[in-house]
Every structure is written in structure tokens, then in C-alpha cells.
Amino acid sequence: MRSVSELMSLKGRVALVTGGAGHIGRAIAQTYAELGAAVVVLDRPGSAAESVAQELTETFGILATALHIDLADEAAVRKVPQRVVETCGRLDIVVNNAAFVGTDGLKGWTAPVEDQSIETWRQALEVNLTAPFLLVQQAIPFLKASGKGAVINVGSIYGVLGPDWSLYDEATVQGTPAAYGASKGGLLQMTRWLATALAPHVRVNGIVPGGVERNTPEEFKQRYISRTPLKRMAREEDMKGIAAYLASDLSAYVTGQCIMVDGGWSAW
């Protein structure tokens, strides 16, 4: 029987993390690098993907590389798994963490629901749902060949639950628009669907984070904490344990699960 440290090891494996230059993506990439995996940090053009990859190599002594990809570009997304294999020799773990969250001031994202832009809705679905499906689809041959293939989709509590509007004021009332919730809900259902479709060769699971404390207005933070059993918002490092578990042989008999990492938010 293997030890826990042996089950947790990712030595010899290659992980692709989309949105890898973001706060949750970087924490997940660090986790896999620390456990011995080579890591491909995928993020949009202009992101800090290169510096994150360099940091991983310098800190953990593993192979890390950056890919600058617009996930709304179907042709570019199709080529990603093959590019990873050409660079790293294999592909064992795919983490769909990147998300369109409307932080660029795009039209209709923060409007009241009756005024939310259909164009922006489509952009959210393209990046948050269509791109992950396409990426996994193109990675299937490599994940099957791995013998340890694992897909991890990063959702959101608002892909599971409706927003608690008592948390929001006029300044933040559209912090979680319909497009975001719908796309993340679709991603979680896709997780369950792919888990049965790709078994027994590839495991597919989801991480469902609650609110993460990062540049959060203090009034919203306090309202959120009062609603959360563990009485705090999540930190990036709270995602490391579940990311390690789902990618490694610690969860070798787990598939089709979407695990809430929300401080008990969904337990009420």
C-alpha cells in the first residue's frame, strides 16, 4: 500500500492550468509545481503568465512554460493540447480555471438584468463554458494515454446557488451577473457529464469556490463573513489542498464530483 506522500506526488506528470496568472490559477499552478509536475501556465495575451512560469521554475526547479491564448479564439484553443505535448512530452492534468468576469468594463456586464448585453452574455459562455469543453475534447487522446488523466473544472458558488442579494448594495449589485452564474452552472454539469463519458480512462471533477478575499470592499466583506459559517472569506491557499487532491492519486477513485470550498456557505 502506498503512503500518502506517494499518492500525492505528481512527479513525471504535466499540468495545464488556464487562467494560471490569476490569483486562484497561480495557487493551483504552485501546488502542482511543488508536487513535482511540469506546469503550463495559460492566460490571455498581456497577462503575467511568463513571470508566473519563471517563478515556478525558480522556486520549485520544475519545467514551467507560458502560453498566451485568447480562449474566445476557437482555432487557438484547438491547438493547445498538442502544443503542450510538443513542449512537455505529455499531458496528464487539465485545469479549466480561466473565467470571463467582466472586469474590463464591457458593455452590459454590470447593468441591471433587464439591460444586460446579449453580446457580453455570449462572450461569457464562450470563455467559461465552450472553451473548457473544446480544450478537454482536444486533450482526450493525451489524457487517455497518460493513464492518470484528470480534468478539474473550477466553478463558483453562483453556478450552484442563486445570489443572496442582501449582500449587495447599489455599487456591487451586479457583481455576479446572470451570464456568469449560467456559464459556471453549465461548467459544473459538464463536469458530471464528462465524468461518465470519459471513464474509466480520465477522471473529471470540479472545485466550487466561495468568495475569495482579494481587493474586496470592506462593507461587502463583512456582510459576506456574517453569512458564512467559518466566518471568513476564502484565501487563495484554501484552493491548494483540493487542487492537489483532485489531480493526484489521492482521489484515484473519485470522479464526477463538484466539491464546495465555500466555508460552509452552501450548508445553510
Side-chain angles (χ1 to χ4, degrees):
M1 183 180 295
R2 288 179 290 171
S3 67
V4 170
S5 60
E6 289 172 325
L7 290 168
M8 188 182 297
S9 174
L10 296 178
K11 289 181 180 178
R13 301 187 203 180
V14 176
L16 168 67
V17 182
T18 74
H23 55 290
I24 291 179
R26 184 181 301 218
I28 293 173
Q30 289 173 347
T31 300
Y32 296 157
E34 183 176 351
L35 295 176
V39 180
V40 178
V41 180
L42 185 154
D43 217 306
R44 62 185 178 174
S47 71
E50 291 280 1
S51 63
V52 172
Q54 182 178 351
E55 174 191 315
L56 295 177
T57 297
E58 293 174 351
T59 303
F60 302 105
I62 52 88
L63 171 65
T65 187
L67 277 180
H68 293 281
I69 298 290
D70 179 356
L71 290 177
D73 183 341
E74 178 182 337
V77 173
R78 284 185 179 277
K79 297 175 183 176
V80 167
Q82 182 64 47
R83 290 181 63 180
V84 172
V85 172
E86 289 172 356
T87 301
C88 301
R90 58 188 295 151
L91 177 57
D92 306 272
I93 302 159
V94 173
V95 180
N96 285 307
N97 167 71
F100 180 94
V101 295
T103 54
D104 296 328
L106 294 175
K107 180 182 177 182
W109 188 256
T110 58
V113 64
E114 59 268 27
D115 297 322
Q116 288 177 17
S117 164
I118 294 302
E119 177 186 355
T120 308
W121 167 280
R122 290 194 178 104
Q123 288 180 278
L125 291 179
E126 189 70 23
V127 173
N128 297 356
L129 188 54
T130 304
F133 175 77
L134 181 59
L135 192 58
V136 173
Q137 184 185 58
Q138 300 304 304
I140 288 171
F142 307 116
L143 294 172
K144 286 185 174 181
S146 160
K148 300 286 186 181
V151 174
I152 301 165
N153 296 321
V154 179
S156 165
I157 53 171
Y158 285 154
V160 177
L161 306 168
D164 180 349
W165 296 108
S166 68
L167 295 175
Y168 299 94
D169 54 28
E170 290 184 1
T172 58
V173 68
Q174 297 299 336
T176 54
Y180 182 78
S183 61
K184 287 298 189 178
L187 183 66
L188 296 177
Q189 179 56 20
M190 188 182 82
T191 298
R192 291 181 278 264
W193 194 96
L194 288 174
T196 62
L198 300 184
H201 306 290
V202 180
R203 297 184 301 107
V204 187
N205 292 290
I207 299 172
V208 188
V212 178
E213 180 181 350
R214 189 175 180 85
N215 301 322
T216 305
E218 187 62 28
E219 290 185 7
F220 175 85
K221 175 182 171 181
Q222 292 306 317
R223 289 194 293 267
Y224 189 96
I225 288 172
S226 70
R227 172 71 170 73
T228 307
L230 290 186
K231 297 304 178 189
R232 65 175 178 86
M233 297 189 78
R235 296 184 283 265
E236 287 90 342
E237 70 176 32
D238 291 319
M239 306 304 147
K240 286 190 169 187
I242 191 65
Y245 173 70
L246 291 177
S248 71
D249 288 355
L250 287 170
S251 61
Y253 198 56
V254 177
T255 196
Q257 303 306 303
C258 298
I259 301 175
M260 309 295 289
V261 187
D262 64 353
W265 175 280
S266 57
W268 290 115

